[in-house]
Amino acid sequence: MIKRTKIGVLAFQGDVTEHVLATEHALKQLHLTGQVTPVRTKAAILKLDALIIPGGESTVLYALCERAGMVDEMKKIPYIFGTCAGAILLSHRLKHTAPGQKTLGLMNITVDRNAYGAQTESFEKNILTPFGQMRSVFIRAPRIVKIGPGVTKLIQDGEEILACEQNKNGTYYLAASFHPELTTTKIHEYFLKKVFSK
Ligand code: GLN
């Protein structure tokens, strides 16, 4: 039997449906076959080839992952794409943490939480990316303030790094501070190309 590549979308909070639809659309665009499923249990996490962590509230997201007993299993998934709070969860170093806040610590990046201000200061803008013009939506977004050795910029807007990637020891992680799932499937396509290139 052919094993289908399984891509999970962490389904506790945030744009779960949007990420599922963007990933399914991206698979179609690339003529690839894979299974995209919302996941919220350790058993489901164990079956995955790749995981997408949507936005939401990073403290709550992490706490729910801990409550589900899935943190160690998440760290073993070789391909992870995190957007907004998902990028916070991937980061190794975090500024403006909530008391006791923890992350998965998988990417050698420093992220400043809520760096653009409160929820009401959320905004949208057009950016130029390696994938063409893109509308980017920032919802109480974090800022990727520093990338360490082993991490490469993927999308930059002026001085700001809006997306970056880390490819190391058979793992691949992609972090974006904004919400590509709302406006484009290009970054999902880019992520899937990595997943299917293994
Ligand atoms: N401000 C949120 C946090 O700290 C992230 C916001 C988002 O994911 N849209 O988790």
Side-chain angles (χ1 to χ4, degrees):
M1 202 178 77
I2 302 165
K3 189 186 162 290
R4 283 224 281 171
T5 300
K6 279 200 175 65
I7 303 126
V9 176
L10 191 66
F12 290 131
Q13 291 191 317
D15 287 343
V16 179
T17 309
E18 288 81 354
H19 271 295
V20 169
L21 293 175
T23 310
E24 283 172 348
H25 187 86
L27 282 168
K28 263 194 207 125
Q29 289 292 118
L30 299 169
H31 305 288
L32 293 169
T33 313
Q35 192 183 335
V36 190
T37 37
V39 291
R40 49 175 82 82
T41 63
K42 178 173 163 177
I45 286 281
L46 283 169
K47 296 193 186 114
L48 298 179
D49 299 293
L51 175 69
I52 297 175
I53 308 178
E57 171 54 47
S58 52
T59 51
V60 176
L61 264 182
Y62 190 89
L64 291 171
C65 293
E66 260 187 337
R67 196 162 78 180
M70 57 164 69
V71 169
D72 289 341
E73 284 67 29
M74 287 170 82
K75 290 184 187 175
K76 290 181 196 143
I77 300 173
Y79 295 85
I80 308 182
F81 172 24
T83 59
C84 204
I88 294 176
L89 253 58
L90 282 173
S91 72
H92 190 57
R93 290 167 302 275
L94 192 57
K95 290 187 168 177
H96 295 114
T97 49
Q101 180 166 10
K102 286 186 268 177
T103 68
L104 298 172
L106 295 172
M107 279 184 89
N108 189 8
I109 59 176
T110 308
V111 170
D112 189 4
R113 205 169 146 254
N114 305 333
Y116 299 94
Q119 189 80 4
T120 47
E121 281 154 292
S122 298
F123 60 96
E124 298 185 22
K125 73 185 289 196
N126 291 324
I127 53 170
L128 193 60
T129 77
F131 316 102
Q133 275 269 356
M134 202 175 270
R135 186 83 181 150
S136 51
V137 181
F138 296 79
I139 306 170
R140 206 185 181 200
R143 189 181 257 139
I144 300 166
V145 285
K146 197 167 174 207
I147 60 172
V151 180
T152 325
K153 294 173 202 169
L154 182 62
I155 300 177
Q156 193 167 0
D157 181 51
E159 293 294 296
E160 308 253 328
I161 300 167
L162 303 183
C164 59
E165 57 189 342
Q166 176 183 297
N167 207 332
K168 197 174 128 192
N169 304 333
T171 62
Y172 175 80
Y173 306 126
L174 171 58
S177 57
F178 61 106
H179 287 266
E181 76 283 0
L182 293 176
T183 56
T184 177
T185 60
K186 291 284 179 226
I187 304 182
H188 291 75
E189 286 173 39
Y190 183 77
F191 178 62
L192 288 176
K193 280 187 199 158
K194 301 282 178 187
V195 175
F196 280 81
S197 68
K198 68 176 174 199

